[in-house]
Amino acid sequence: MAASTLSSATPSQLCSIRNGVLSPSHALLPKLTRTSPFVGKGKGLKIKCQATSIPADRVPDMAKRKLMNLLLLGAISLPSAGMLIPYATFFAPPGTGSAGGGIVAKDALGNDVIADEWLKTHGPGDRTLTQGLKGDPTYLVVENDKTLATYGINAVCTHLGCVVPWNTAENKFICPCHGSQYNNQGRVVRGPAPLSLALAHADIDDGKVLFVPWVETDFRTGEDPWWA
């Protein structure tokens, strides 16, 4: 049977699957040759290919490819950044603060702590948790003369980070996790906690209690504050 071809080409333009000679700058068009019906061992369809040049105007422009990559990157980055904002605000709670880095104390309901109103419902010796710097639970201290102490006590245990409750009967802070104890000012008196509870200044600004970072000497130990 006579061989049938799909297109004609010069011998130099033809490549064979058997010898695997291909040109990277050319496209390949199939050329089929049927020598006999598909019967018998060793007989069947033979495939050859024809090389042809690609027009220059069809080669992708590198500048266009870079532009498309930038557009794709921008389309992905904007939604991703929008999704990260809620997480960032969660780990850094927004609060009303002063220019010096202070933050207004919040009660259990999330309301600003008004000093006069607080003292009406909290008597001498009271230590009640509020929301302090960085969102940490912080005790407001009422002195025996019915005034607010000028410091707040961070309730996070210096051992493994448990919140330490105030024990009125013992007149000290006692950690329920591993038994660490602190006196009524938050100074460590029993381990395994290695350090005293952190302090914050408790100022009054426009009638509201304002927590400000404590960077001075720790008055309980006479040492530099480990938390600053």
Side-chain angles (χ1 to χ4, degrees):
M1 180 180 293
S4 60
T5 60
L6 296 181
S7 59
S8 60
T10 64
S12 61
Q13 291 177 311
L14 296 179
C15 63
S16 172
I17 292 178
R18 178 178 298 176
N19 58 32
V21 178
L22 301 175
S23 173
S25 62
H26 293 80
L28 303 179
L29 297 177
K31 178 181 178 182
L32 305 179
T33 302
R34 184 175 298 277
T35 58
S36 62
F38 189 68
V39 292
K41 185 176 181 180
K43 297 182 179 180
L45 186 66
K46 294 183 179 180
I47 301 177
K48 295 183 179 181
C49 57
Q50 175 182 348
T52 181
S53 300
I54 299 176
D57 58 355
R58 296 184 61 184
V59 177
D61 183 76
M62 185 58 67
K64 291 182 180 179
R65 294 175 64 181
K66 290 182 178 179
L67 177 61
M68 293 302 296
N69 288 338
L70 291 175
L71 292 175
L72 179 61
L73 179 61
I76 296 175
S77 299
L78 290 177
S80 299
M83 293 173 63
L84 291 176
I85 291 176
Y87 290 95
T89 56
F90 175 80
F91 287 106
T96 303
S98 67
I103 185 172
V104 175
K106 304 286 185 181
D107 62 18
L109 299 177
N111 300 318
D112 293 347
V113 175
I114 308 300
D116 291 341
E117 297 297 324
W118 187 268
L119 291 173
K120 290 179 182 179
T121 56
H122 299 79
D126 180 79
R127 282 153 177 76
T128 300
L129 282 174
T130 60
Q131 179 178 298
L133 297 170
K134 300 180 181 179
D136 286 349
T138 304
Y139 284 101
L140 268 182
V141 178
V142 180
E143 301 283 22
N144 292 330
D145 60 358
K146 298 183 180 180
T147 61
L148 282 175
T150 57
Y151 62 90
I153 304 172
N154 191 308
V156 179
C157 183
T158 59
H159 179 219
L160 292 178
C162 298
V163 175
V164 183
W166 168 247
N167 189 311
T168 304
E170 296 287 339
N171 195 37
K172 64 179 67 173
F173 298 96
I174 301 177
C175 183
C177 297
H178 301 95
S180 297
Q181 296 184 14
Y182 309 83
N183 70 6
N184 60 358
Q185 293 181 328
R187 178 175 179 174
V188 63
V189 294
R190 177 180 172 182
L195 300 166
S196 299
L197 298 175
L199 295 175
H201 288 287
D203 300 334
I204 298 178
D205 184 14
D206 196 23
K208 298 180 180 180
V209 177
L210 184 72
F211 286 125
V212 179
W214 188 294
V215 296
E216 299 82 17
T217 300
D218 185 343
F219 68 89
R220 303 164 303 181
T221 63
E223 301 175 354
D224 292 336
W226 60 264
W227 57 88

